[in-house]
Amino acid sequence: MTFQWTAVAAFLYGEIGVILVLCLPFISPLRWQKIFMIPLWSKMAVFWNKMFLTIIVLLIVLFLDAVREVRKYSAVHVNERAANINSNAFDHIQMKLFRSQRNLYLSGFSLFLWLVLRRTVTLLTQLAKGMASHAALETQVNDATEAAKKYMAENERLQEALTEKGSSKKKESAEATDEKLKEEVEHLKAELQKTSNALHKATNEVTAVKKQSEGLKREYDQLMQEYERLQ
């Protein structure tokens, strides 16, 4: 193998290793988000898009070159086999054809896995954000529930105090206070309903992202099976 194809093969194996690490089930998306937020990665993010496009262009060029070589030696292979001339020359052409096909698979899978790797990182980041939003919404819902319970308890104590005091004036004042408390309770219930709806929406978004991640994992498993079969 020449230097360029050795580098492509090493890059392909590196991609496979990184994708396998990203798919480990015991590392949560929140942990990956913390890793992605390391200052070193934020400094590299400035050059990330340029590096991504550069590697894509190089892999596309190598892929097209491999396609050209495969077509070239496939045609020569058919002609030599039809002519049935020199067995050594025919074996040499077969070797060239095998190498060009190998280079085609290396460049093609490297290009595909590079796109898969970028998509996987994006999905992990989105899933981590969804989980963080879900946790924040749960905290808000719990706080609103506790506040509503507190106001309801105060309302019950005021009602008990009203039943003990028979003064009509105090009853009227207490009724006004009770109405005010009821309005506050209704307001808190409305806030609680809005927060619950937001939590339900965030849960649906997290479920959708999980489904996308599972679909990507299934596609990756199929790709690995196809790669093993081709090897």
Side-chain angles (χ1 to χ4, degrees):
M1 294 179 67
T2 59
F3 174 76
Q4 61 180 1
W5 295 113
T6 303
V8 172
F11 184 73
L12 173 63
Y13 297 143
E15 287 177 324
I16 294 173
V18 172
I19 291 176
L20 287 176
V21 172
L22 290 175
C23 292
L24 291 177
F26 55 85
I27 303 179
S28 65
L30 294 175
R31 181 66 58 84
W32 281 120
Q33 188 182 29
K34 292 180 180 178
I35 295 174
F36 296 152
M37 295 301 292
I38 294 176
L40 176 63
W41 299 115
S42 62
K43 293 179 181 179
M44 293 178 60
V46 179
F47 307 99
W48 170 250
N49 290 328
K50 295 181 180 178
M51 183 182 67
F52 176 78
L53 293 176
T54 302
I55 294 177
I56 286 292
V57 170
L58 290 176
L59 289 176
I60 289 175
V61 170
L62 292 174
F63 179 77
L64 294 177
D65 180 67
V67 171
R68 181 183 63 83
E69 292 292 323
V70 169
R71 294 182 62 182
K72 172 184 174 182
Y73 290 110
S74 295
V76 176
H77 173 78
V78 173
N79 294 333
E80 289 290 339
R81 187 174 182 181
N84 196 13
I85 303 175
N86 190 354
S87 60
N88 292 329
F90 182 72
D91 292 338
H92 182 72
I93 292 171
Q94 282 187 320
M95 180 187 67
K96 291 286 187 179
L97 178 61
F98 168 75
R99 288 180 179 177
S100 60
Q101 289 174 342
R102 177 203 60 195
N103 296 338
L104 177 65
Y105 294 142
L106 287 176
S107 58
F109 277 109
S110 297
L111 180 62
F112 177 73
L113 288 182
W114 186 240
L115 298 173
V116 171
L117 181 61
R118 182 181 175 90
R119 182 61 177 167
T120 302
V121 173
T122 303
L123 288 177
L124 284 174
T125 304
Q126 292 178 354
L127 183 58
K129 290 180 180 179
M131 293 176 67
S133 300
H134 184 269
L137 287 174
E138 283 187 347
T139 303
Q140 292 179 0
V141 169
N142 292 331
D143 293 341
T145 303
E146 292 296 330
K149 289 181 179 179
K150 182 179 178 180
Y151 281 115
M152 291 178 69
E154 290 179 356
N155 187 22
E156 290 178 357
R157 287 198 297 269
L158 287 173
Q159 286 180 353
E160 291 177 356
L162 285 173
T163 55
E164 293 177 356
K165 296 178 181 181
S167 176
S168 60
K169 186 176 181 180
K170 291 183 178 179
K171 285 184 178 180
E172 292 176 358
S173 177
E175 287 177 356
T177 304
D178 184 52
E179 290 295 329
K180 184 178 180 180
L181 288 174
K182 286 182 178 179
E183 292 177 357
E184 292 180 355
V185 169
E186 292 297 329
H187 177 69
L188 287 173
K189 287 182 178 180
E191 291 293 332
L192 180 61
Q193 183 65 31
K194 290 171 61 179
T195 308
S196 299
N197 293 334
L199 177 61
H200 181 68
K201 182 179 179 181
T203 304
N204 292 334
E205 293 178 355
V206 170
T207 304
V209 173
K210 287 183 177 179
K211 289 181 178 179
Q212 291 180 356
S213 180
E214 291 174 357
L216 180 60
K217 185 177 180 181
R218 287 194 298 270
E219 292 178 1
Y220 174 73
D221 292 336
Q222 293 176 0
L223 177 62
M224 291 302 299
Q225 292 176 3
E226 183 66 18
Y227 179 71
E228 292 177 356
R229 185 181 69 79
L230 290 173
Q231 285 185 335

mmCIF file with all atom_site columns, all heavy atoms in Angstrom, residues 109-128:
data_model
loop_
_atom_site.group_PDB
_atom_site.id
_atom_site.type_symbol
_atom_site.label_atom_id
_atom_site.label_alt_id
_atom_site.label_comp_id
_atom_site.label_asym_id
_atom_site.label_entity_id
_atom_site.label_seq_id
_atom_site.pdbx_PDB_ins_code
_atom_site.Cartn_x
_atom_site.Cartn_y
_atom_site.Cartn_z
_atom_site.occupancy
_atom_site.B_iso_or_equiv
_atom_site.pdbx_formal_charge
_atom_site.auth_seq_id
_atom_site.auth_comp_id
_atom_site.auth_asym_id
_atom_site.auth_atom_id
_atom_site.pdbx_PDB_model_num
ATOM 1   N N   . PHE A 1 109 ? -15.836 3.731  2.430  1.00 0.00 ? 109 PHE A N   1
ATOM 2   C CA  . PHE A 1 109 ? -16.265 3.568  3.822  1.00 0.00 ? 109 PHE A CA  1
ATOM 3   C C   . PHE A 1 109 ? -15.731 4.693  4.696  1.00 0.00 ? 109 PHE A C   1
ATOM 4   O O   . PHE A 1 109 ? -16.398 5.113  5.647  1.00 0.00 ? 109 PHE A O   1
ATOM 5   C CB  . PHE A 1 109 ? -15.806 2.217  4.362  1.00 0.00 ? 109 PHE A CB  1
ATOM 6   C CG  . PHE A 1 109 ? -16.720 1.092  3.991  1.00 0.00 ? 109 PHE A CG  1
ATOM 7   C CD1 . PHE A 1 109 ? -16.331 0.135  3.064  1.00 0.00 ? 109 PHE A CD1 1
ATOM 8   C CD2 . PHE A 1 109 ? -17.978 0.971  4.544  1.00 0.00 ? 109 PHE A CD2 1
ATOM 9   C CE1 . PHE A 1 109 ? -17.172 -0.899 2.703  1.00 0.00 ? 109 PHE A CE1 1
ATOM 10  C CE2 . PHE A 1 109 ? -18.827 -0.062 4.199  1.00 0.00 ? 109 PHE A CE2 1
ATOM 11  C CZ  . PHE A 1 109 ? -18.432 -1.004 3.271  1.00 0.00 ? 109 PHE A CZ  1
ATOM 12  N N   . SER A 1 110 ? -14.540 5.194  4.418  1.00 0.00 ? 110 SER A N   1
ATOM 13  C CA  . SER A 1 110 ? -14.014 6.327  5.189  1.00 0.00 ? 110 SER A CA  1
ATOM 14  C C   . SER A 1 110 ? -14.889 7.561  5.007  1.00 0.00 ? 110 SER A C   1
ATOM 15  O O   . SER A 1 110 ? -15.199 8.269  5.969  1.00 0.00 ? 110 SER A O   1
ATOM 16  C CB  . SER A 1 110 ? -12.577 6.631  4.757  1.00 0.00 ? 110 SER A CB  1
ATOM 17  O OG  . SER A 1 110 ? -11.722 5.548  5.026  1.00 0.00 ? 110 SER A OG  1
ATOM 18  N N   . LEU A 1 111 ? -15.286 7.822  3.779  1.00 0.00 ? 111 LEU A N   1
ATOM 19  C CA  . LEU A 1 111 ? -16.161 8.968  3.511  1.00 0.00 ? 111 LEU A CA  1
ATOM 20  C C   . LEU A 1 111 ? -17.509 8.814  4.203  1.00 0.00 ? 111 LEU A C   1
ATOM 21  O O   . LEU A 1 111 ? -18.022 9.750  4.838  1.00 0.00 ? 111 LEU A O   1
ATOM 22  C CB  . LEU A 1 111 ? -16.343 9.107  2.002  1.00 0.00 ? 111 LEU A CB  1
ATOM 23  C CG  . LEU A 1 111 ? -17.229 10.257 1.507  1.00 0.00 ? 111 LEU A CG  1
ATOM 24  C CD1 . LEU A 1 111 ? -16.640 11.594 1.901  1.00 0.00 ? 111 LEU A CD1 1
ATOM 25  C CD2 . LEU A 1 111 ? -17.392 10.183 -0.005 1.00 0.00 ? 111 LEU A CD2 1
ATOM 26  N N   . PHE A 1 112 ? -18.076 7.616  4.108  1.00 0.00 ? 112 PHE A N   1
ATOM 27  C CA  . PHE A 1 112 ? -19.380 7.384  4.728  1.00 0.00 ? 112 PHE A CA  1
ATOM 28  C C   . PHE A 1 112 ? -19.305 7.490  6.254  1.00 0.00 ? 112 PHE A C   1
ATOM 29  O O   . PHE A 1 112 ? -20.144 8.128  6.899  1.00 0.00 ? 112 PHE A O   1
ATOM 30  C CB  . PHE A 1 112 ? -19.904 6.016  4.307  1.00 0.00 ? 112 PHE A CB  1
ATOM 31  C CG  . PHE A 1 112 ? -21.212 5.649  4.956  1.00 0.00 ? 112 PHE A CG  1
ATOM 32  C CD1 . PHE A 1 112 ? -22.393 6.277  4.564  1.00 0.00 ? 112 PHE A CD1 1
ATOM 33  C CD2 . PHE A 1 112 ? -21.266 4.698  5.949  1.00 0.00 ? 112 PHE A CD2 1
ATOM 34  C CE1 . PHE A 1 112 ? -23.600 5.953  5.163  1.00 0.00 ? 112 PHE A CE1 1
ATOM 35  C CE2 . PHE A 1 112 ? -22.479 4.367  6.546  1.00 0.00 ? 112 PHE A CE2 1
ATOM 36  C CZ  . PHE A 1 112 ? -23.642 4.996  6.150  1.00 0.00 ? 112 PHE A CZ  1
ATOM 37  N N   . LEU A 1 113 ? -18.299 6.866  6.861  1.00 0.00 ? 113 LEU A N   1
ATOM 38  C CA  . LEU A 1 113 ? -18.185 6.882  8.320  1.00 0.00 ? 113 LEU A CA  1
ATOM 39  C C   . LEU A 1 113 ? -17.854 8.277  8.838  1.00 0.00 ? 113 LEU A C   1
ATOM 40  O O   . LEU A 1 113 ? -18.209 8.616  9.969  1.00 0.00 ? 113 LEU A O   1
ATOM 41  C CB  . LEU A 1 113 ? -17.114 5.887  8.774  1.00 0.00 ? 113 LEU A CB  1
ATOM 42  C CG  . LEU A 1 113 ? -17.491 4.405  8.644  1.00 0.00 ? 113 LEU A CG  1
ATOM 43  C CD1 . LEU A 1 113 ? -16.373 3.526  9.169  1.00 0.00 ? 113 LEU A CD1 1
ATOM 44  C CD2 . LEU A 1 113 ? -18.776 4.104  9.397  1.00 0.00 ? 113 LEU A CD2 1
ATOM 45  N N   . TRP A 1 114 ? -17.178 9.096  8.034  1.00 0.00 ? 114 TRP A N   1
ATOM 46  C CA  . TRP A 1 114 ? -16.913 10.468 8.453  1.00 0.00 ? 114 TRP A CA  1
ATOM 47  C C   . TRP A 1 114 ? -18.212 11.248 8.575  1.00 0.00 ? 114 TRP A C   1
ATOM 48  O O   . TRP A 1 114 ? -18.409 12.014 9.525  1.00 0.00 ? 114 TRP A O   1
ATOM 49  C CB  . TRP A 1 114 ? -15.972 11.121 7.451  1.00 0.00 ? 114 TRP A CB  1
ATOM 50  C CG  . TRP A 1 114 ? -15.505 12.501 7.827  1.00 0.00 ? 114 TRP A CG  1
ATOM 51  C CD1 . TRP A 1 114 ? -15.701 13.647 7.133  1.00 0.00 ? 114 TRP A CD1 1
ATOM 52  C CD2 . TRP A 1 114 ? -14.758 12.875 8.988  1.00 0.00 ? 114 TRP A CD2 1
ATOM 53  N NE1 . TRP A 1 114 ? -15.126 14.710 7.775  1.00 0.00 ? 114 TRP A NE1 1
ATOM 54  C CE2 . TRP A 1 114 ? -14.536 14.274 8.929  1.00 0.00 ? 114 TRP A CE2 1
ATOM 55  C CE3 . TRP A 1 114 ? -14.260 12.175 10.076 1.00 0.00 ? 114 TRP A CE3 1
ATOM 56  C CZ2 . TRP A 1 114 ? -13.841 14.964 9.908  1.00 0.00 ? 114 TRP A CZ2 1
ATOM 57  C CZ3 . TRP A 1 114 ? -13.558 12.869 11.054 1.00 0.00 ? 114 TRP A CZ3 1
ATOM 58  C CH2 . TRP A 1 114 ? -13.355 14.243 10.966 1.00 0.00 ? 114 TRP A CH2 1
ATOM 59  N N   . LEU A 1 115 ? -19.133 11.037 7.635  1.00 0.00 ? 115 LEU A N   1
ATOM 60  C CA  . LEU A 1 115 ? -20.446 11.668 7.727  1.00 0.00 ? 115 LEU A CA  1
ATOM 61  C C   . LEU A 1 115 ? -21.253 11.103 8.899  1.00 0.00 ? 115 LEU A C   1
ATOM 62  O O   . LEU A 1 115 ? -21.941 11.841 9.615  1.00 0.00 ? 115 LEU A O   1
ATOM 63  C CB  . LEU A 1 115 ? -21.214 11.469 6.414  1.00 0.00 ? 115 LEU A CB  1
ATOM 64  C CG  . LEU A 1 115 ? -20.584 12.102 5.161  1.00 0.00 ? 115 LEU A CG  1
ATOM 65  C CD1 . LEU A 1 115 ? -21.355 11.690 3.911  1.00 0.00 ? 115 LEU A CD1 1
ATOM 66  C CD2 . LEU A 1 115 ? -20.550 13.612 5.287  1.00 0.00 ? 115 LEU A CD2 1
ATOM 67  N N   . VAL A 1 116 ? -21.174 9.781  9.096  1.00 0.00 ? 116 VAL A N   1
ATOM 68  C CA  . VAL A 1 116 ? -21.874 9.151  10.224 1.00 0.00 ? 116 VAL A CA  1
ATOM 69  C C   . VAL A 1 116 ? -21.341 9.686  11.549 1.00 0.00 ? 116 VAL A C   1
ATOM 70  O O   . VAL A 1 116 ? -22.102 9.940  12.496 1.00 0.00 ? 116 VAL A O   1
ATOM 71  C CB  . VAL A 1 116 ? -21.718 7.616  10.154 1.00 0.00 ? 116 VAL A CB  1
ATOM 72  C CG1 . VAL A 1 116 ? -22.235 6.961  11.427 1.00 0.00 ? 116 VAL A CG1 1
ATOM 73  C CG2 . VAL A 1 116 ? -22.490 7.066  8.959  1.00 0.00 ? 116 VAL A CG2 1
ATOM 74  N N   . LEU A 1 117 ? -20.029 9.864  11.648 1.00 0.00 ? 117 LEU A N   1
ATOM 75  C CA  . LEU A 1 117 ? -19.422 10.365 12.882 1.00 0.00 ? 117 LEU A CA  1
ATOM 76  C C   . LEU A 1 117 ? -19.914 11.772 13.201 1.00 0.00 ? 117 LEU A C   1
ATOM 77  O O   . LEU A 1 117 ? -20.266 12.078 14.349 1.00 0.00 ? 117 LEU A O   1
ATOM 78  C CB  . LEU A 1 117 ? -17.901 10.341 12.745 1.00 0.00 ? 117 LEU A CB  1
ATOM 79  C CG  . LEU A 1 117 ? -17.093 10.815 13.958 1.00 0.00 ? 117 LEU A CG  1
ATOM 80  C CD1 . LEU A 1 117 ? -17.381 9.941  15.164 1.00 0.00 ? 117 LEU A CD1 1
ATOM 81  C CD2 . LEU A 1 117 ? -15.607 10.796 13.648 1.00 0.00 ? 117 LEU A CD2 1
ATOM 82  N N   . ARG A 1 118 ? -19.949 12.617 12.198 1.00 0.00 ? 118 ARG A N   1
ATOM 83  C CA  . ARG A 1 118 ? -20.435 13.987 12.426 1.00 0.00 ? 118 ARG A CA  1
ATOM 84  C C   . ARG A 1 118 ? -21.897 13.974 12.851 1.00 0.00 ? 118 ARG A C   1
ATOM 85  O O   . ARG A 1 118 ? -22.292 14.708 13.773 1.00 0.00 ? 118 ARG A O   1
ATOM 86  C CB  . ARG A 1 118 ? -20.251 14.814 11.152 1.00 0.00 ? 118 ARG A CB  1
ATOM 87  C CG  . ARG A 1 118 ? -20.681 16.277 11.298 1.00 0.00 ? 118 ARG A CG  1
ATOM 88  C CD  . ARG A 1 118 ? -20.494 17.014 9.984  1.00 0.00 ? 118 ARG A CD  1
ATOM 89  N NE  . ARG A 1 118 ? -21.004 18.368 10.049 1.00 0.00 ? 118 ARG A NE  1
ATOM 90  C CZ  . ARG A 1 118 ? -20.312 19.437 10.418 1.00 0.00 ? 118 ARG A CZ  1
ATOM 91  N NH1 . ARG A 1 118 ? -19.039 19.274 10.760 1.00 0.00 ? 118 ARG A NH1 1
ATOM 92  N NH2 . ARG A 1 118 ? -20.846 20.645 10.440 1.00 0.00 ? 118 ARG A NH2 1
ATOM 93  N N   . ARG A 1 119 ? -22.712 13.150 12.202 1.00 0.00 ? 119 ARG A N   1
ATOM 94  C CA  . ARG A 1 119 ? -24.126 13.071 12.560 1.00 0.00 ? 119 ARG A CA  1
ATOM 95  C C   . ARG A 1 119 ? -24.312 12.511 13.972 1.00 0.00 ? 119 ARG A C   1
ATOM 96  O O   . ARG A 1 119 ? -25.183 12.956 14.733 1.00 0.00 ? 119 ARG A O   1
ATOM 97  C CB  . ARG A 1 119 ? -24.858 12.201 11.536 1.00 0.00 ? 119 ARG A CB  1
ATOM 98  C CG  . ARG A 1 119 ? -26.367 12.088 11.778 1.00 0.00 ? 119 ARG A CG  1
ATOM 99  C CD  . ARG A 1 119 ? -27.028 13.434 11.709 1.00 0.00 ? 119 ARG A CD  1
ATOM 100 N NE  . ARG A 1 119 ? -28.476 13.316 11.881 1.00 0.00 ? 119 ARG A NE  1
ATOM 101 C CZ  . ARG A 1 119 ? -29.270 14.347 12.104 1.00 0.00 ? 119 ARG A CZ  1
ATOM 102 N NH1 . ARG A 1 119 ? -28.765 15.571 12.201 1.00 0.00 ? 119 ARG A NH1 1
ATOM 103 N NH2 . ARG A 1 119 ? -30.574 14.174 12.246 1.00 0.00 ? 119 ARG A NH2 1
ATOM 104 N N   . THR A 1 120 ? -23.495 11.544 14.354 1.00 0.00 ? 120 THR A N   1
ATOM 105 C CA  . THR A 1 120 ? -23.593 10.959 15.696 1.00 0.00 ? 120 THR A CA  1
ATOM 106 C C   . THR A 1 120 ? -23.292 11.994 16.766 1.00 0.00 ? 120 THR A C   1
ATOM 107 O O   . THR A 1 120 ? -23.994 12.087 17.795 1.00 0.00 ? 120 THR A O   1
ATOM 108 C CB  . THR A 1 120 ? -22.615 9.779  15.820 1.00 0.00 ? 120 THR A CB  1
ATOM 109 O OG1 . THR A 1 120 ? -22.908 8.806  14.812 1.00 0.00 ? 120 THR A OG1 1
ATOM 110 C CG2 . THR A 1 120 ? -22.742 9.122  17.184 1.00 0.00 ? 120 THR A CG2 1
ATOM 111 N N   . VAL A 1 121 ? -22.242 12.781 16.555 1.00 0.00 ? 121 VAL A N   1
ATOM 112 C CA  . VAL A 1 121 ? -21.896 13.829 17.520 1.00 0.00 ? 121 VAL A CA  1
ATOM 113 C C   . VAL A 1 121 ? -23.028 14.848 17.626 1.00 0.00 ? 121 VAL A C   1
ATOM 114 O O   . VAL A 1 121 ? -23.393 15.294 18.730 1.00 0.00 ? 121 VAL A O   1
ATOM 115 C CB  . VAL A 1 121 ? -20.574 14.506 17.103 1.00 0.00 ? 121 VAL A CB  1
ATOM 116 C CG1 . VAL A 1 121 ? -20.295 15.714 17.986 1.00 0.00 ? 121 VAL A CG1 1
ATOM 117 C CG2 . VAL A 1 121 ? -19.414 13.531 17.208 1.00 0.00 ? 121 VAL A CG2 1
ATOM 118 N N   . THR A 1 122 ? -23.629 15.213 16.491 1.00 0.00 ? 122 THR A N   1
ATOM 119 C CA  . THR A 1 122 ? -24.742 16.165 16.511 1.00 0.00 ? 122 THR A CA  1
ATOM 120 C C   . THR A 1 122 ? -25.939 15.608 17.280 1.00 0.00 ? 122 THR A C   1
ATOM 121 O O   . THR A 1 122 ? -26.556 16.315 18.100 1.00 0.00 ? 122 THR A O   1
ATOM 122 C CB  . THR A 1 122 ? -25.161 16.509 15.069 1.00 0.00 ? 122 THR A CB  1
ATOM 123 O OG1 . THR A 1 122 ? -24.035 17.027 14.353 1.00 0.00 ? 122 THR A OG1 1
ATOM 124 C CG2 . THR A 1 122 ? -26.278 17.541 15.064 1.00 0.00 ? 122 THR A CG2 1
ATOM 125 N N   . LEU A 1 123 ? -26.267 14.335 17.045 1.00 0.00 ? 123 LEU A N   1
ATOM 126 C CA  . LEU A 1 123 ? -27.404 13.725 17.747 1.00 0.00 ? 123 LEU A CA  1
ATOM 127 C C   . LEU A 1 123 ? -27.141 13.599 19.246 1.00 0.00 ? 123 LEU A C   1
ATOM 128 O O   . LEU A 1 123 ? -28.047 13.802 20.070 1.00 0.00 ? 123 LEU A O   1
ATOM 129 C CB  . LEU A 1 123 ? -27.704 12.346 17.148 1.00 0.00 ? 123 LEU A CB  1
ATOM 130 C CG  . LEU A 1 123 ? -28.331 12.343 15.751 1.00 0.00 ? 123 LEU A CG  1
ATOM 131 C CD1 . LEU A 1 123 ? -28.497 10.918 15.247 1.00 0.00 ? 123 LEU A CD1 1
ATOM 132 C CD2 . LEU A 1 123 ? -29.684 13.035 15.769 1.00 0.00 ? 123 LEU A CD2 1
ATOM 133 N N   . LEU A 1 124 ? -25.912 13.257 19.628 1.00 0.00 ? 124 LEU A N   1
ATOM 134 C CA  . LEU A 1 124 ? -25.587 13.181 21.051 1.00 0.00 ? 124 LEU A CA  1
ATOM 135 C C   . LEU A 1 124 ? -25.734 14.548 21.719 1.00 0.00 ? 124 LEU A C   1
ATOM 136 O O   . LEU A 1 124 ? -26.238 14.645 22.845 1.00 0.00 ? 124 LEU A O   1
ATOM 137 C CB  . LEU A 1 124 ? -24.160 12.655 21.223 1.00 0.00 ? 124 LEU A CB  1
ATOM 138 C CG  . LEU A 1 124 ? -23.952 11.149 21.003 1.00 0.00 ? 124 LEU A CG  1
ATOM 139 C CD1 . LEU A 1 124 ? -22.474 10.797 21.071 1.00 0.00 ? 124 LEU A CD1 1
ATOM 140 C CD2 . LEU A 1 124 ? -24.720 10.342 22.041 1.00 0.00 ? 124 LEU A CD2 1
ATOM 141 N N   . THR A 1 125 ? -25.306 15.594 21.037 1.00 0.00 ? 125 THR A N   1
ATOM 142 C CA  . THR A 1 125 ? -25.429 16.937 21.598 1.00 0.00 ? 125 THR A CA  1
ATOM 143 C C   . THR A 1 125 ? -26.897 17.331 21.757 1.00 0.00 ? 125 THR A C   1
ATOM 144 O O   . THR A 1 125 ? -27.310 17.871 22.795 1.00 0.00 ? 125 THR A O   1
ATOM 145 C CB  . THR A 1 125 ? -24.706 17.943 20.693 1.00 0.00 ? 125 THR A CB  1
ATOM 146 O OG1 . THR A 1 125 ? -23.331 17.540 20.534 1.00 0.00 ? 125 THR A OG1 1
ATOM 147 C CG2 . THR A 1 125 ? -24.740 19.328 21.299 1.00 0.00 ? 125 THR A CG2 1
ATOM 148 N N   . GLN A 1 126 ? -27.704 17.042 20.737 1.00 0.00 ? 126 GLN A N   1
ATOM 149 C CA  . GLN A 1 126 ? -29.133 17.369 20.815 1.00 0.00 ? 126 GLN A CA  1
ATOM 150 C C   . GLN A 1 126 ? -29.823 16.570 21.918 1.00 0.00 ? 126 GLN A C   1
ATOM 151 O O   . GLN A 1 126 ? -30.664 17.105 22.652 1.00 0.00 ? 126 GLN A O   1
ATOM 152 C CB  . GLN A 1 126 ? -29.799 17.102 19.471 1.00 0.00 ? 126 GLN A CB  1
ATOM 153 C CG  . GLN A 1 126 ? -29.353 18.040 18.360 1.00 0.00 ? 126 GLN A CG  1
ATOM 154 C CD  . GLN A 1 126 ? -29.993 17.704 17.027 1.00 0.00 ? 126 GLN A CD  1
ATOM 155 O OE1 . GLN A 1 126 ? -30.691 16.683 16.895 1.00 0.00 ? 126 GLN A OE1 1
ATOM 156 N NE2 . GLN A 1 126 ? -29.763 18.531 16.017 1.00 0.00 ? 126 GLN A NE2 1
ATOM 157 N N   . LEU A 1 127 ? -29.475 15.300 22.035 1.00 0.00 ? 127 LEU A N   1
ATOM 158 C CA  . LEU A 1 127 ? -30.077 14.472 23.078 1.00 0.00 ? 127 LEU A CA  1
ATOM 159 C C   . LEU A 1 127 ? -29.687 14.967 24.464 1.00 0.00 ? 127 LEU A C   1
ATOM 160 O O   . LEU A 1 127 ? -30.515 14.982 25.383 1.00 0.00 ? 127 LEU A O   1
ATOM 161 C CB  . LEU A 1 127 ? -29.629 13.015 22.888 1.00 0.00 ? 127 LEU A CB  1
ATOM 162 C CG  . LEU A 1 127 ? -30.224 11.992 23.864 1.00 0.00 ? 127 LEU A CG  1
ATOM 163 C CD1 . LEU A 1 127 ? -31.742 11.996 23.790 1.00 0.00 ? 127 LEU A CD1 1
ATOM 164 C CD2 . LEU A 1 127 ? -29.694 10.604 23.568 1.00 0.00 ? 127 LEU A CD2 1
ATOM 165 N N   . ALA A 1 128 ? -28.433 15.390 24.642 1.00 0.00 ? 128 ALA A N   1
ATOM 166 C CA  . ALA A 1 128 ? -27.997 15.919 25.934 1.00 0.00 ? 128 ALA A CA  1
ATOM 167 C C   . ALA A 1 128 ? -28.752 17.200 26.287 1.00 0.00 ? 128 ALA A C   1
ATOM 168 O O   . ALA A 1 128 ? -29.176 17.398 27.435 1.00 0.00 ? 128 ALA A O   1
ATOM 169 C CB  . ALA A 1 128 ? -26.489 16.177 25.903 1.00 0.00 ? 128 ALA A CB  1
#
